[in-house]
Amino acid sequence: MREHVGRVLRDAGTLELAAMRLLGEYWRARHDVVAAAGPLRTEAARERLRSVPVTRLKDTAGGPVRFGAVRGAELVSVAEILESAPEGLRLLRGVGPVTAGRLHGAAQRLATAAEWAAGLRIGIVPRDEAATPLVVALYRLVNAAPDLPRAGAAAEIVRRDVHGLRTRARCVTWRRRMLRTRSEQKAGWEAVARLKELLEDPETALLRSPDLLGPRVPAEEAWRDYERRPADYQAVLREWAEVPEGEPAEGFLPGHLAARVRAQSLDETLLRVPLRGYQAFGARFALLQRRVILGDEPGLGKTLQAVAAIAHRRTEQTSSFLVACPPNKLHRWVRDIEAYCSIIVHPVLAHHPGYWLSQGGIAVAPFDALPYLNVPPGLGMFVVDEAHQTTNRDTLRATTVTRLCRETEHVMLLTGIPMDERVGDFHGLLGHLPDQAAYRVRLEHAALGSRALRAAAAHVYLRRDQRDVLAELPDVVHVDELVPFSRAGQAVYEDAEGDVTAMRRAAYAAPRSSAKLKRLRELVGEAAANGVKVVVFSCFADVLATVHDALGAGTLGPVTRRTPATRREDAVAEFTAARGHAVLLSEVQVTLDLRGASVVIFCEPQADPDLEARAVGRVHGAGRPGTVRVHRLLTPGTVDERISAGEGAG
């Protein structure tokens, strides 16, 4: 027996030594990759910062900065600020020590963020000689034995357990056994048995395999191997050099997080409509991460993703849910929930704020009613639509949203605004969430663009643009915007009873209080934030004139049947040539070739469905790739609904 214990201890010591040797070599190989990638990432970051204007430092400077003095010295990019010492910046007229310190500190923080976000690509033609140390370091991992990951995992177990097991097992050696208590001897024999199991385990046997890591080779041989299979090298580089990568339809989430999201269960039994792949991913992301900001571009189905997450939570025996939204979107939320799932929905009206769920279900409340709701404990999920409207910390609305976000385990903040252009709003949204959900987000990444911010905030922020999920989208997406009358609009509508034409235009008769006009401006604002073009149609010239006054200068048109042909052509040409966002107003009866539009807005439903279809066809069929989003502004309970339902205006 003594020889048996001694042999187990000796073999376990040999196994522990082999494990430590493998882990050391494995660590050095990975460290060599990270060290070789460092200079390349620094250079890539500096190159990126040469295209970032110095004014982007205002979001991270930590105080006011006089950018006029900096621009006057022809320092136009962040890279130029970084290359200037604080002492050099102080020589500029109007720049004191505080401003110089803020500028240089902000530039350094942005450089750190740029290094983290920098993508690495190793050039073959021409060969990127600066990447030679990286290619040589990667060779050892790319050419490692297939069993290396399993051997590494076994080595970690041996490193963690064997030393303590050997210490306890020594208690039952012949010389020490007589001095130990019965319980210590029992623990010692258990340790011997566990060591024997490890020694006989096929996984730990891998530690005795020779050449688990690839050999060290000359640079030329490593380059030849890279040229044969660059994809293998890039895969290892992404894994060990922490290069942020990801799938577009998954919001460029890191691979390990995306895998966990895909593995998250999602029960769709209460849904009445199927989910597209990216929508199911968004619902799973919300369920896994619990408190999230869903920032998909308008038209990708944020409402459906929120309802899907709620429906899953309902199957987990939670019964009460709350949706907060702008007042003009309450009716649409109620209609969509009824269409998307079988859970009962309760509209909570602003004039009756004390009403709440008596039998469970989804309550939909306007922002104004939110502070006065008696929210029951154990809320299953809290959803905030247009959440960027709740970031003013001085308002009762914002403080109520923050309180409910921190009291509720599952939260979804929905916004279609790209947050890299609205850093202040993004900071406000993060402020709604508990510190543990938001503290890791560094806002410096916003200056580097949408993708960098998405990668940096991946644990809490998911955004997809249309181009990210283009393969899953239909050609045309129709959205009915249910917009109730304002008081003035209701009065005009009632006075026009019997005059169908006047009734259809009543919603725009009082522009200052018009709910339709307000929603139209919101849709145009979202399109502007996302850099897409908009066409606004109406069959009434005076409605288009009102819309033009509301949208202001820069709006093209309105193009009506009375507009001369040359002016029509000029308006269309300017709209087509515009880079990024532009808005064109047109009578629906006018035939125009409208290239490049992504959003179509009808100020009112059209009595002739074919006329509406032809107008959409002129936009969708004009050679634009991607999806066209069509919004129809409807007032519930009016002639709009009858026309939309095909019942005519009578």
Side-chain angles (χ1 to χ4, degrees), residues 133-157:
L134 179 59
V135 173
V136 172
L138 287 169
Y139 181 93
R140 297 198 70 199
L141 293 172
V142 172
N143 290 277
D147 291 332
L148 178 61
R150 291 169 54 203
E156 285 289 353
I157 294 173

Side-chain angles (χ1 to χ4, degrees), residues 237-262:
L237 180 61
R238 284 194 298 270
E239 181 179 2
W240 295 117
E242 297 182 350
V243 177
E245 292 283 348
E247 294 297 323
E250 297 175 348
F252 298 104
L253 296 187
H256 62 89
L257 177 56
R260 290 176 55 217
V261 172
R262 290 191 293 270

Side-chain angles (χ1 to χ4, degrees), residues 511 517 521 542-553 555 557-558 585:
L517 207 52
R521 285 197 299 265
D542 58 339
V543 169
L544 290 174
T546 301
V547 171
H548 187 278
D549 292 341
L551 296 181
T555 304
L585 312 182

Side-chain angles (χ1 to χ4, degrees), residues 304-338:
L304 178 54
Q305 293 175 68
V307 172
I310 288 174
H312 175 89
R313 291 283 294 148
R314 182 67 184 86
T315 65
E316 296 179 336
Q317 307 307 313
T318 55
S319 60
S320 301
F321 308 91
L322 175 61
V323 174
C325 64
N328 61 359
K329 298 190 72 174
L330 185 143
H331 291 283
R332 180 181 166 190
W333 264 97
V334 171
R335 184 202 60 181
D336 286 349
I337 291 171
E338 291 174 340

Side-chain angles (χ1 to χ4, degrees), residues 393-470:
R393 312 299 298 170
D394 297 328
T395 63
L396 184 59
R397 170 194 300 181
T399 55
T400 304
V401 168
T402 300
R403 175 176 59 80
L404 290 174
C405 284
R406 300 190 177 194
E407 292 176 354
T408 308
E409 185 178 1
H410 285 79
V411 174
M412 292 184 72
L413 304 179
L414 312 183
T415 176
I417 303 297
M419 290 290 106
D420 58 299
E421 299 292 340
R422 303 276 287 271
V423 178
D425 285 342
F426 192 55
H427 187 267
L429 292 179
L430 292 173
H432 289 320
L433 305 179
D435 293 341
Q436 63 268 27
Y439 80 99
R440 287 182 287 168
V441 179
R442 301 290 298 274
L443 296 181
E444 291 86 355
H445 292 84
L448 303 174
S450 174
R451 185 166 172 178
L453 179 62
R454 284 188 267 179
H459 65 287
V460 72
Y461 179 51
L462 177 66
R463 175 178 171 85
R464 280 77 58 90
D465 301 325
Q466 281 198 18
R467 61 180 177 271
D468 297 332
V469 296
L470 202 56

Side-chain angles (χ1 to χ4, degrees), residues 630-648:
V630 180
H631 298 265
R632 294 195 302 172
L633 303 178
L634 311 177
T635 302
T638 68
V639 67
D640 282 358
E641 278 197 335
R642 295 198 294 273
I643 293 175
S644 179
E647 300 175 5

Side-chain angles (χ1 to χ4, degrees), residues 536-538 540-548 558-560 585-587:
V536 180
F537 286 121
S538 175
F540 304 111
D542 58 339
V543 169
L544 290 174
T546 301
V547 171
H548 187 278
V559 177
T560 69
L585 312 182
S586 174
E587 277 189 338

